[in-house]
Amino acid sequence: MKTLIASLLGAAVLSASLTAQAQLPPEDQIKFRQAGYSFMSWNMGKIKAMAIDEAVEYDQQQILAAANAINGIAQSGMGALFGPGTEADVGDQATRVDPALFDNFPEVAELSKDFVAASDNLVEQAENGEQSDVRAAFAELGKSCKACHDKYRMD
Amino acid sequence: MKTLIASLLGAAVLSASLTAQAQLPPEDQIKFRQAGYSFMSWNMGKIKAMAIDEAVEYDQQQILAAANAINGIAQSGMGALFGPGTEADVGDQATRVDPALFDNFPEVAELSKDFVAASDNLVEQAENGEQSDVRAAFAELGKSCKACHDKYRMD
């Protein structure tokens, strides 16, 4: 029963996202989702450099700005960019997505929920500004990225 | 004098962004800035479809989510992605930037400030939810994009 509810919920979440825009060609969906992940990774890199590696000076405003960028992207409904026809390379767009993702939307919705929660928490800790809290929140966010990559991103 | 102050301010803004992260190779800077613009354009497209073209159902939460994504990206310090060596194509990364941008940082900083203000306002109007206000804010944001494209993006 729990699985059924999760399944319906996952489907509803994805379908809500899908109806919110005109249908995009699969190639554009892949391009936009990769842009989102790429831009998040730049911002993860900045936080890592400041709060973890201490390779550059710790700057709360810059960490908060990076966290807000990640959070804004995480909450933008990227599920809509995993529509039919985006399971494999299309035209010039190569994708590393594991086609298994498309048979497991309820689980993907759960992983996505964890990711959004972790990015919310990162914003909260960046607002608070304590470096040790930012480090912990950053590690949690990294784990939530990896949880999905391990399952649904191919090498 | 005003020009000198603006010039110093522009340089300071850009330099603050630049020190906030480890130096990225020019190729990565171009890749990440294009990812940011690309992801913003996806979110602009969603708002356009809902609030302007009415091609899909008006949904305040989705408009707000799109506005927050744009705003988070706009405020993330993308000036740091226009470092030395990114004036022209590098490796696999093609760029449409006009090299003149790199000689006019103070003006670019002004254009960027207008863009950030317009994206702040879009978030505010999306929170308020009134479609006519969202349309007006969207038009303003579009103008602020175009102001920079007309000057510093090549066809």
Side-chain angles (χ1 to χ4, degrees):
Chain A
M1 188 60 185
K2 222 172 182 177
T3 311
L4 177 62
I5 291 168
S7 170
L8 290 169
L9 191 67
V13 167
L14 285 162
S15 128
S17 299
L18 282 167
T19 54
Q21 60 185 317
Q23 290 293 333
L24 288 176
E27 201 163 345
D28 289 345
Q29 293 181 42
I30 294 174
K31 185 184 76 179
F32 287 136
R33 76 192 184 203
Q34 289 180 347
Y37 293 126
S38 179
F39 203 76
M40 286 195 285
S41 81
W42 176 54
N43 285 282
M44 293 286 284
K46 287 188 285 181
I47 298 173
K48 184 169 181 286
M50 289 184 273
I52 317 293
D53 300 342
E54 298 182 340
V56 287
E57 204 182 333
Y58 188 87
D59 180 320
Q60 188 186 353
Q61 286 315 307
Q62 302 243 10
I63 288 175
L64 180 56
N68 278 329
I70 293 165
N71 192 240
I73 294 169
Q75 307 234 27
S76 66
M78 289 181 72
L81 300 173
F82 290 84
T86 69
E87 304 87 347
D89 300 352
V90 188
D92 288 341
Q93 294 297 327
T95 174
R96 284 195 285 167
V97 74
D98 188 324
L101 178 145
F102 298 83
D103 299 323
N104 291 284
F105 279 162
E107 192 202 6
V108 175
E110 283 301 309
L111 290 167
S112 166
K113 226 176 72 183
D114 293 346
F115 169 60
V116 168
S119 83
D120 277 341
N121 182 50
L122 179 63
V123 170
E124 199 175 312
Q125 301 314 322
E127 278 167 350
N128 149 36
E130 194 62 54
Q131 185 170 351
S132 59
D133 295 336
V134 169
R135 291 174 81 115
F138 181 84
E140 280 305 310
L141 181 60
K143 266 189 220 164
S144 77
C145 296
K146 191 171 181 298
C148 199
H149 293 171
D150 285 351
K151 285 216 154 176
Y152 297 116
R153 189 174 73 171
M154 299 189 295
D155 292 328
Chain B
M1 188 60 185
K2 223 172 182 179
T3 310
L4 177 63
I5 290 170
S7 171
L8 290 169
L9 190 67
V13 167
L14 284 162
S15 128
S17 298
L18 281 166
T19 54
Q21 58 185 317
Q23 290 293 333
L24 288 176
E27 200 163 347
D28 289 345
Q29 293 181 42
I30 294 174
K31 185 185 76 178
F32 287 136
R33 75 193 185 203
Q34 291 181 345
Y37 293 127
S38 179
F39 203 75
M40 285 195 284
S41 81
W42 175 52
N43 286 282
M44 293 287 283
K46 286 188 285 182
I47 296 172
K48 184 169 181 288
M50 287 184 274
I52 317 295
D53 300 341
E54 299 182 338
V56 287
E57 203 182 334
Y58 187 88
D59 181 319
Q60 188 187 354
Q61 285 316 304
Q62 302 243 10
I63 287 175
L64 180 56
N68 277 329
I70 293 165
N71 192 238
I73 294 170
Q75 307 233 28
S76 66
M78 289 181 72
L81 299 173
F82 290 83
T86 69
E87 303 87 348
D89 300 352
V90 189
D92 289 340
Q93 294 297 326
T95 174
R96 284 193 286 167
V97 75
D98 187 324
L101 178 146
F102 298 83
D103 299 323
N104 292 286
F105 279 162
E107 192 202 5
V108 175
E110 283 302 310
L111 290 167
S112 165
K113 226 177 70 183
D114 294 346
F115 169 60
V116 168
S119 83
D120 277 343
N121 181 49
L122 180 63
V123 169
E124 201 175 309
Q125 302 315 324
E127 278 168 349
N128 150 33
E130 195 61 56
Q131 185 170 351
S132 58
D133 296 337
V134 169
R135 291 173 83 116
F138 180 84
E140 279 307 307
L141 181 61
K143 266 188 222 163
S144 77
C145 296
K146 191 171 180 300
C148 199
H149 293 172
D150 285 351
K151 284 215 151 177
Y152 297 116
R153 190 174 73 171
M154 299 187 298
D155 293 328

